[in-house]
């Protein structure tokens, strides 16, 4: 087992990131069938497709995927997924130099709740402070303005659009390539990004959305 694959559950006050398992399927099927208006460019299964979605994610583990369920702490329900993806090592070494955060989605009831910001905080904290990476990538369909605003709000830096870079997840675009908007956080920026993300999160006992 490559050492960076052994990621424990990551605990926050709003969300717990648990290694993705078949046990999350019933909750994810419910979450995926909430209001789907925000999924025009995002890979989110329909409820009846969740078993196949999970199998596809497990198959991607051999390609470097480390998938998580996003479990809402307030009710213990899995309300979405996220992952580490595309790990890159230093030449001639097993140590990581960079990793991507991707395959992220949340059910509508969890959007705007602070869960996304805290999940990214947990993942980047693990990446920079445990895995000791030099860089975390985030990318999205260049047309997905909602996702781009959310990534920019995390404090990530926009690096440009790579044309025909990734497979499209948009309906009726199966087997098509999309242009990807690329963002990153690098190690010298992490302290400031971490502070800003922490400040965005709700204070326990107060209703302050992130």
């Amino acid at each position: 087992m490559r050492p960076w694959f052994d990621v424990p559950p990551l605990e926050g006050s709003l969300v717990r990131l648990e290694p993705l398992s078949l046990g999350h399927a019933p909750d994810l099927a419910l979450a995926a069938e909430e209001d789907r208006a925000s999924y025009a460019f995002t890979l989110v299964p329909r409820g009846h497709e969740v078993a196949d979605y999970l199998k596809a994610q497990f198959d991607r583990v051999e390609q470097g995927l480390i998938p998580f369920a996003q479990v809402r702490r307030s009710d213990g329900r899995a309300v979405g997924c996220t992952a580490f993806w595309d790990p890159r090592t230093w030449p001639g070494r097993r140590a990581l130099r960079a990793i991507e955060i991707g395959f992220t989605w949340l059910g509508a009831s969890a959007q705007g709740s602070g869960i996304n910001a805290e999940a990214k905080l947990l993942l980047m904290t693990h990446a920079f402070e445990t895995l000791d990476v030099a860089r975390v990538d985030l990318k999205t369909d260049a047309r997905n303005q909602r996702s781009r605003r959310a990534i920019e709000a995390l404090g990530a830096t926009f690096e440009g659009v790579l044309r025909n870079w990734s497979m499209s997840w948009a309906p009726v675009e199966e087997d098509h390539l999309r242009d990807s908007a690329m963002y990153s956080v690098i190690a010298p920026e992490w302290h400031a990004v971490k502070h800003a993300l922490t400040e965005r999160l709700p204070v326990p006992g107060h209703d302050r959305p992130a």
Side-chain angles (χ1 to χ4, degrees):
M1 177 69 74
R2 286 160 284 188
W4 62 83
F5 267 53
D6 188 19
V7 181
L10 303 177
E11 300 274 356
S13 61
L14 300 173
V15 65
R16 180 173 62 255
L17 301 182
E18 298 180 354
L20 188 64
S21 75
L22 291 174
H24 296 116
D27 283 350
L28 293 175
L30 291 174
E33 286 301 324
E34 295 175 359
D35 183 355
R36 295 178 60 88
S38 64
Y39 300 153
F41 302 105
T42 307
L43 175 61
V44 182
R46 300 300 310 222
H48 68 276
E49 297 170 334
V50 163
D52 289 340
Y53 171 84
L54 293 179
K55 181 181 183 303
Q57 292 298 78
F58 300 148
D59 288 346
R60 290 185 179 102
V61 169
E62 290 302 314
Q63 303 170 44
L65 187 76
I66 308 172
F68 301 93
Q70 302 197 65
V71 177
R72 186 164 50 200
R73 295 293 300 270
S74 63
D75 59 9
R77 285 185 51 209
V79 292
C81 295
T82 191
F84 283 132
W85 174 236
D86 192 22
R88 283 101 71 199
T89 58
W90 293 99
R93 295 160 52 189
R94 297 184 69 194
L96 282 185
R97 60 182 171 84
I99 202 163
E100 181 178 328
I101 296 172
F103 288 96
T104 298
W105 64 272
L106 282 171
S109 65
Q111 296 173 18
S113 67
I115 284 177
N116 179 61
E118 187 174 65
K120 296 300 193 297
L121 175 62
L122 293 170
L123 290 166
M124 286 196 282
T125 297
H126 187 80
F128 284 113
E129 299 179 14
T130 299
L131 301 179
D132 196 28
V133 300
R135 170 188 171 96
V136 169
D137 308 332
L138 303 103
K139 70 175 183 289
T140 189
D141 192 308
R143 299 167 293 181
N144 191 342
Q145 294 300 319
R146 186 176 188 276
S147 178
R148 292 180 66 168
R149 289 192 298 270
I151 293 172
E152 290 163 3
L154 298 171
T157 297
F158 175 58
E159 297 180 324
V161 173
L162 297 182
R163 298 177 299 166
N164 281 5
W165 183 255
S166 309
M167 298 307 298
S168 175
W169 302 117
V172 308
E173 290 187 357
E174 292 83 359
D175 301 321
H176 284 64
L177 292 170
R178 75 181 194 197
D179 295 346
S180 289
M182 305 295 294
Y183 295 82
S184 71
V185 177
I186 59 174
E189 301 166 345
W190 170 234
H191 179 76
V193 170
K194 182 178 182 180
H195 177 76
L197 271 176
T198 302
E199 288 295 302
R200 282 183 57 193
L201 294 177
V203 176
H206 294 75
D207 185 17
R208 182 166 65 86

